[in-house]
Amino acid sequence: MTDHPPLRSYGRLKSRPIKPRQAALVEARLPELRIRPGPVDPKALMPAATEAWLEIGFGGGEHMAAQAARRPDVLILGAEPFTNGVASAVRHIDEHGLRNVRLHDGDVRELTARLPDGAVARVFILFPDPWPKARHNKRRLIQPAMVAELARILRPGGRLRFASDWADYADQALELFTAHPAFAWAAARADDWRVPPADHVTTRYEEKRLGDCAPVFLDFVRG
């Protein structure tokens, strides 16, 4: 029997043409920022890092860059297949002089498969593609296999944040993460999922309010 590759959980890879100045910056900087093929050892990427975080689908990179600027002691790995988003992230990294960010410009599942068990302390999944039509729900990133993979790469006590402005996706994510024995939902009261966490950085996508509900923030702890 032939194994089938996982369904692509993201839409288009490029929208508008990248401006020449930004394209030149990507050409100059992305090779040094890109995570190279093969097994990924966060300690080898940044020996002085106290821990490693992962942002899945970083969009334009503003949240990732802000978190990296706040915590220069932390190595932040970012995965994003959207070409324009990668170009935007490279610009943010260059403008802020960040030295603690590494990028995977492709499907995050290619990256997580190369990470060892317990490699990261935090995971951010902020406003992933909602695939709102019922027939497309199977393309959503958060599926049982992905939840299991995230449990594998998160260290005990690590934290994962999922945010969405689509009510049924938030419900689906909550159901799948709490069904996995490794994850516990950290919420104690309604404001814990209704109010942005203190360390949250609002993204451009979030400001557009394209979903069908106010943003929902779900924080989970790895047991």
Side-chain angles (χ1 to χ4, degrees):
M1 182 179 294
T2 302
D3 290 336
H4 294 283
L7 284 171
R8 201 170 83 176
S9 60
Y10 46 89
R12 59 187 180 175
L13 292 176
K14 186 177 181 181
S15 60
R16 64 189 182 280
I18 298 173
K19 296 178 180 179
R21 182 179 177 184
Q22 197 163 3
L25 181 61
V26 169
E27 184 177 357
R29 295 297 313 278
L30 185 56
E32 68 187 69
L33 295 169
R34 182 182 281 130
I35 300 169
R36 296 178 181 177
V40 179
D41 177 4
K43 265 307 201 186
L45 291 175
M46 184 178 167
T50 57
E51 57 190 37
W53 299 355
L54 170 65
E55 181 160 347
I56 298 175
F58 55 70
E62 59 267 35
H63 175 275
M64 179 176 61
Q67 295 288 359
R70 289 174 177 174
R71 292 292 305 273
D73 61 308
V74 171
L75 170 66
I76 299 188
L77 308 175
E80 173 60 62
F82 188 47
T83 303
N84 299 79
V86 173
S88 175
V90 171
R91 176 175 59 82
H92 284 300
I93 292 167
D94 188 72
E95 288 179 351
H96 293 284
L98 301 174
R99 305 175 66 87
N100 58 328
V101 181
R102 300 292 184 273
L103 304 178
H104 174 70
D105 48 334
D107 192 319
V108 69
R109 290 168 291 194
E110 300 166 354
L111 175 59
T112 58
R114 295 155 51 200
L115 285 166
D117 295 357
V120 299
R122 294 193 73 178
V123 174
F124 298 96
I125 309 171
L126 306 179
F127 306 96
D129 196 321
W131 295 101
K133 294 181 179 179
R135 68 178 183 272
H136 292 153
N137 283 179
K138 63 185 178 181
R139 292 186 176 275
R140 288 175 170 173
L141 175 69
I142 304 304
Q143 304 290 347
M146 190 63 191
V147 172
E149 180 71 342
L150 293 171
R152 182 187 70 80
I153 66 169
L154 260 175
R155 73 184 189 189
R159 299 181 72 91
L160 181 148
R161 177 171 299 155
F162 174 89
S164 181
D165 54 4
W166 286 87
D168 71 319
Y169 200 0
D171 289 343
Q172 176 189 350
L174 180 60
E175 179 180 354
L176 290 175
F177 278 111
T178 54
H180 195 286
F183 287 106
W185 189 23
R189 59 186 189 277
D191 278 356
D192 289 337
W193 71 84
R194 291 176 179 169
V195 177
D199 64 345
H200 176 63
V201 178
T202 302
T203 66
R204 287 182 298 169
Y205 175 86
E206 182 183 347
E207 291 176 338
K208 294 178 180 178
R209 295 298 178 100
L210 298 176
D212 62 359
C213 70
V216 174
F217 298 88
L218 305 176
D219 275 15
F220 301 94
V221 179
R222 170 70 163 89

